[in-house]
Amino acid sequence: MSKAELPKHEAATDPPTAGLDRIALLRPLTPEQRAAVARQCRWRRFSADEQLIDHWGDTRDVAFVVEGRVRVLSHSAGGREISFSDIDAGEPVGEMSALDGRPRSASVVALADGALVAFLPARPFQELVTGHPELAQAMLLRLCDKLRGATDRIMELSTLGANNRVHAELLRLAKRGKRQGIVAIIAPIPVHSDIAARVSTTRETVARVLSDLTRDGMLERRPDALVVRDLPRLEMLVEDVRGAV
Amino acid sequence: MSKAELPKHEAATDPPTAGLDRIALLRPLTPEQRAAVARQCRWRRFSADEQLIDHWGDTRDVAFVVEGRVRVLSHSAGGREISFSDIDAGEPVGEMSALDGRPRSASVVALADGALVAFLPARPFQELVTGHPELAQAMLLRLCDKLRGATDRIMELSTLGANNRVHAELLRLAKRGKRQGIVAIIAPIPVHSDIAARVSTTRETVARVLSDLTRDGMLERRPDALVVRDLPRLEMLVEDVRGAV
């Protein structure tokens, strides 16, 4: 990596060697080993919506998200976004192509300005995984987790209508939110198009379903949060229809 | 493993130690190591439609399919089958729960009488994977392959209607079949309910789509095979609508 590739303010405040300390996957390595990995990386900052991995490109490197947050997504030919997962700082993304050498399965874009990403070529990444059983084990668990998520989504797409998939996504968000008895607070307010991309429907369907729930008193829109008034009722709504098709 | 668990004819004709020689994943092991693994396995034969892994059971072992073929599937609450993949002799199944200790993501049933399966408990399987980097590597590639398949299916379910998913499945079958110029021969004739379970639709939809294609001259039903008369035309049919939603 040439210093020239790194913006000046970066070189001063964000020495690449320290950056990789934030990557959970690389924790089994010694600081010296991580420093050696950091030197093999190409470092770059991305602005919001900028693409770090191109679905149709021929790159195979793994990307470590050191700062910021990125989204794995694809588009239909009609331009509708299908999103797969959001990757937080500290996680790798694009590891499949780095491991198996096959084309990218999706694109990856930064979610906000300033995402700092370290790209490690496929070969040294494979050597890392092969040389450190704890690292291979962590990658296996990560892929299992992703495959379980994909299997759940296939089941939802196969057995639930779009309305109920929005309910199911709302339930997932509510369960991750703050709880006060049967009330759950989702903050910040999720963007309709994000929900739509996660459950493979249109923004209009999401807007309609949320407004129906609001009219029924199950949902309340506050300036800074979406409030589920009755979590058990939402749970029943999802469970009742799950797989009834 | 007690000898009593193995049917008598088994003990004579199918010594478990030799059985595991057919499992590709275990090829990096020496014959002695494979024999040691075989002794840790519980061996059983299954009849057609018999369940070897129960989605709702609390088992965590990996199952090596030594003879026969099995299907990974789930059911909607309404009883419709959603199938994920067919696993051939020589492959493992149920490896996710064995690796991550979490519940089963689906059920697994035998596709015909006489499937011979060796069950290895999670702990020794994890030790195998941790102790043999080639084995960990093979598992990583296997999980990548499954995750890619799941991602493709999510895209199809998100962007194609049921009719076009049947076209896409027919195209996959045709590409695996025998080719004669622009003609592709799919043999044996696929069962409508199998296609339906793979693309998450009903048997009736599959029957209707295939009969439409037959009327249009793109498909011909022979006693022993389904013949795609014009593979490029089918390909165009799939590509034209893929993602147009």
Side-chain angles (χ1 to χ4, degrees), chain A residues 130-151:
Chain A
T130 314
H132 298 270
E134 321 90 293
L135 226 146
Q137 175 68 11
M139 277 306 308
L140 282 169
L141 293 183
R142 185 175 173 81
L143 290 176
C144 282
D145 188 62
K146 286 182 172 290
L147 191 49
R148 286 178 181 277
T151 304

Side-chain angles (χ1 to χ4, degrees), chain B residues 49-86:
Chain B
D49 294 325
E50 201 184 346
Q51 196 168 261
L52 44 141
I53 290 177
D54 176 2
H55 193 159
W56 309 111
D58 60 359
T59 63
R60 295 290 183 272
D61 34 13
V62 65
F64 296 114
V65 182
V66 175
E67 286 175 24
R69 207 158 183 244
V70 304
R71 177 165 295 167
V72 182
L73 51 80
S74 253
H75 289 95
S76 72
R80 192 157 55 81
E81 183 181 308
I82 315 292
S83 77
F84 291 99
S85 56
D86 288 356

Side-chain angles (χ1 to χ4, degrees), chain B residues 7-35:
Chain B
K8 275 232 175 60
H9 70 279
E10 221 48 74
T13 60
D14 236 319
T17 40
L20 289 193
D21 292 353
R22 299 177 207 167
I23 308 299
L25 187 70
L26 303 179
R27 238 164 251 161
L29 305 183
T30 65
E32 292 71 31
Q33 287 170 327
R34 266 198 305 274

Side-chain angles (χ1 to χ4, degrees), chain A residues 7-39:
Chain A
K8 276 235 172 60
H9 69 278
E10 221 48 75
T13 60
D14 235 318
T17 41
L20 288 194
D21 293 354
R22 300 176 205 168
I23 308 298
L25 188 70
L26 303 179
R27 240 164 248 159
L29 304 183
T30 65
E32 293 71 30
Q33 287 170 329
R34 266 199 303 275
V37 173
R39 282 191 297 272

Side-chain angles (χ1 to χ4, degrees), chain A residues 147-161:
Chain A
L147 191 49
R148 286 178 181 277
T151 304
D152 287 348
R153 184 158 177 187
I154 289 170
M155 278 307 285
E156 279 194 12
L157 283 165
S158 301
T159 63
L160 297 184

